[in-house]
């Protein structure tokens, strides 16, 4: 059962003081808001009268003058015997300066031979051969290669020093300068392509260049090498061949022929030689 409490303080009237006076606000809030809105509406309601209208008229006159000036320039240009084609800057194939190439005699760099034979972008360089102490006897194919290169070298241009050397991690080492060294005949061909010495490569070239490198890298496994040679020749028939692919595949397939004495690659080698 609930119970109720009587209020402690009962309601009572408070008498307001009569000696105070009331001051009205000088700027009532409602009046300020109304004035702001009125000024905003007035500023947005500006038409073409006054300064803005004059500015628009001047802008239109200026644009018309610019259009007229452009028409006059075009008419003057049409009357002059000008060549509208961009100037063609002749591009020369510049072989890198003074290269040193360490080569395993079992992997002859036939790409150098094709570079001297090809006529699409003639290159000028001289090849000198040296034999490292790690090579006791130079294979017959390597000696024939050096003789053929000597007959094609012009005696001028870049000097390329080829050193027959065994016992390297790879068959081909290029020394551009003391701080720039890279491995692989395929990478050397890519390097020349990026320099603009050889024709621009296309999509799919890297796969064929890599297959060419692998064909020489697995030289001791003749069965796998023969299978890879077949795949390489099959892949070559499926796409348009560029210079970089010609040089890389020719070198790999001819070295394969030297090692296996197989004549199944002769047709492809002749096709490549015919494209020079």
């Amino acid at each position: 059962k609930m119970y109720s409490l009587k209020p402690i303080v009962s309601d009572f009237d408070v008498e307001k003081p009569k000696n105070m006076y009331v001051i009205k606000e000088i700027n009532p809030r409602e009046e300020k808001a109304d004035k702001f809105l009125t000024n905003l509406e007035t500023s947005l309601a500006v038409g073409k009268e006054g300064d803005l209208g004059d500015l628009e008229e001047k802008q239109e006159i200026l644009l018309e003058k610019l259009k007229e000036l452009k028409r006059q320039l075009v008419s003057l240009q049409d009357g002059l015997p000008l060549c509208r084609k961009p100037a063609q800057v002749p591009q020369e194939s510049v072989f890198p300066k003074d290269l040193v190439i360490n080569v395993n005699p079992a992997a002859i760099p036939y790409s150098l031979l094709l570079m001297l034979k090809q006529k699409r972008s003639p290159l000028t360089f001289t090849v000198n051969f040296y034999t490292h102490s790690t090579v006791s006897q130079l294979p017959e194919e390597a000696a024939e290669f050096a003789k053929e290169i000597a007959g094609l070298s012009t005696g001028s241009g870049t000097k390329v020093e080829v050193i027959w050397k065994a016992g390297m991690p790879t068959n081909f080492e290029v020394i551009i300068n003391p701080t720039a060294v890279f491995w692989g005949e395929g990478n050397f061909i890519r390097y020349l392509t990026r320099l603009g010495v050889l024709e621009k490569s296309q999509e799919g070239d890297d796969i064929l260049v890599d297959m060419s490198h692998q064909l020489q890298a697995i030289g001791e496994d003749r069965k796998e090498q023969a299978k890879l040679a077949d795949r390489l020749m099959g892949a070559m028939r499926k796409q348009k061949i560029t210079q970089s692919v010609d040089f890389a595949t020719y070198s790999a397939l001819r070295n394969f022929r030297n090692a296996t004495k197989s004549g199944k690659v002769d047709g492809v080698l002749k096709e490549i030689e015919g494209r020079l």
Side-chain angles (χ1 to χ4, degrees), residues 65-127:
K65 289 183 178 180
L66 289 174
K67 289 180 181 179
E68 180 62 26
L69 180 60
K70 183 178 180 180
R71 284 193 291 268
Q72 293 178 5
L73 290 174
V74 171
S75 62
L76 289 174
Q77 187 178 14
D78 292 338
L80 295 175
L82 299 177
C83 178
R84 300 184 183 277
K85 294 183 179 180
Q88 299 293 328
V89 180
Q91 295 184 352
E92 297 181 359
S93 298
V94 180
F95 208 79
K97 294 182 179 180
D98 300 336
L99 298 176
V100 177
I101 303 176
N102 294 318
V103 182
N104 190 321
I108 300 170
Y110 285 107
S111 60
L112 293 177
L113 181 62
L114 292 194
M115 290 177 196
L116 288 172
K117 281 186 173 183
Q118 57 91 22
K119 300 176 182 178
R120 283 183 283 181
S121 53
L123 301 175
T124 302
F125 60 93
T126 302
V127 183

Side-chain angles (χ1 to χ4, degrees), residues 20-244:
M20 302 293 291
Y21 58 90
V22 179
I23 300 177
K24 294 183 179 180
E25 293 185 15
I26 299 175
N27 294 318
R29 294 182 181 180
E30 293 182 359
E31 186 179 351
K32 288 172 66 178
D34 292 340
K35 286 184 178 180
F36 173 76
L37 292 175
T38 302
N39 293 335
L40 180 62
E41 291 175 357
T42 303
S43 63
L44 294 176
V46 175
K48 287 193 174 182
E49 295 78 17
D51 295 338
L52 184 59
D54 294 340
L55 181 61
E56 289 181 354
E57 291 179 3
K58 291 179 180 179
Q59 184 178 4
E60 290 177 0
I61 295 172
L62 181 60
L63 290 174
E64 288 296 329
K65 289 183 178 180
L66 289 174
K67 289 180 181 179
E68 180 62 26
L69 180 60
K70 183 178 180 180
R71 284 193 291 268
Q72 293 178 5
L73 290 174
V74 171
S75 62
L76 289 174
Q77 187 178 14
D78 292 338
L80 295 175
L82 299 177
C83 178
R84 300 184 183 277
K85 294 183 179 180
Q88 299 293 328
V89 180
Q91 295 184 352
E92 297 181 359
S93 298
V94 180
F95 208 79
K97 294 182 179 180
D98 300 336
L99 298 176
V100 177
I101 303 176
N102 294 318
V103 182
N104 190 321
I108 300 170
Y110 285 107
S111 60
L112 293 177
L113 181 62
L114 292 194
M115 290 177 196
L116 288 172
K117 281 186 173 183
Q118 57 91 22
K119 300 176 182 178
R120 283 183 283 181
S121 53
L123 301 175
T124 302
F125 60 93
T126 302
V127 183
N128 297 317
F129 291 91
Y130 304 91
T131 303
H132 193 264
S133 58
T134 54
V135 178
S136 58
Q137 185 177 359
L138 201 63
E140 182 181 351
E141 292 83 2
E144 291 178 356
F145 167 78
K147 185 178 180 180
E148 193 171 2
I149 285 282
L152 295 171
S153 295
T154 60
S156 60
T158 299
K159 293 181 180 180
V160 179
E161 312 289 343
V162 175
I163 303 174
W164 301 112
K165 186 178 180 181
M168 297 186 297
T170 185
N171 294 327
F172 192 97
E173 178 191 34
V174 182
I175 303 174
I176 306 295
N177 57 57
T179 59
V181 180
F182 55 88
W183 304 89
E185 188 175 6
N187 288 331
F188 176 59
I189 293 170
R190 289 188 178 104
Y191 171 70
L192 296 180
T193 302
R194 292 189 178 100
L195 285 181
V197 176
L198 303 180
E199 292 178 357
K200 187 178 180 181
S201 60
Q202 62 182 9
E203 186 178 358
D205 284 0
D206 282 337
I207 296 175
L208 296 177
V209 173
D210 288 340
M211 290 176 69
S212 301
H213 172 76
Q214 189 179 4
L215 181 62
Q216 299 197 69
I218 60 172
E220 296 180 358
D221 191 338
R222 298 303 180 199
K223 290 184 179 180
E224 288 298 322
Q225 194 179 33
K227 292 179 182 178
L228 183 56
D230 290 336
R231 291 203 302 270
L232 176 59
M233 291 186 290
M236 291 175 65
R237 298 186 186 98
K238 296 179 181 179
Q239 74 172 58
K240 184 180 178 181
I241 303 300
T242 59
Q243 271 188 328
S244 59

